[in-house]
Amino acid sequence: MGVMWTVWPLDAEMTVWLSEQGISYPVLPSRWPTGSEVKRALSDLGLTAEITDNGPMAPWHAFVQEAADDPEDKWALLIIPDYSGDHEPQKLHFEKGHEPLIRRILSRLAVACGPLVLINDADSVPEVIGADA
């Protein structure tokens, strides 16, 4: 059984929750990445991505690997539940995957959209991922 990973930008609701948890965060603009920013991040990182695009407002999946022939099987399943296009903000999460790879992807996305919060469903401890992670 794997861990599910929630991703969230540093919006007003998230910053209140982080403050209540005693977790510090940078005071920087943050937003959901666009579809093209997600695709560009995967490409810029040189990752292998097997994409399933089910059309507008349907689930979009990317099975991401360090390399197709990676013997250590470092992969992550990135999900956009309601893909609305390359130029629109996309809510996303990860269904299972290699934690360092997930952090690497989010760090790359943070270059474009600001810090993102990563929360696993096992212990619900939030971690703020910035462009320097």
Side-chain angles (χ1 to χ4, degrees), residues 98-115:
H98 185 68
E99 186 173 350
L101 178 58
I102 292 169
R103 281 192 185 111
R104 195 169 147 218
I105 294 167
L106 292 181
S107 180
R108 185 62 187 180
L109 287 172
V111 171
C113 62

Side-chain angles (χ1 to χ4, degrees), residues 5-9 14 32 92-94 102 106 116-119:
W5 301 90
T6 299
V7 177
W8 207 263
M14 178 55 71
W32 291 106
L92 60 95
H93 66 274
F94 291 86
I102 292 169
L106 292 181
L116 296 165
V117 180
L118 179 64
I119 309 164

Side-chain angles (χ1 to χ4, degrees), residues 52-69:
T52 303
D53 186 345
N54 295 301
M57 301 314 294
W60 183 96
H61 305 160
F63 181 78
V64 183
Q65 292 178 285
E66 295 273 347
D69 58 352

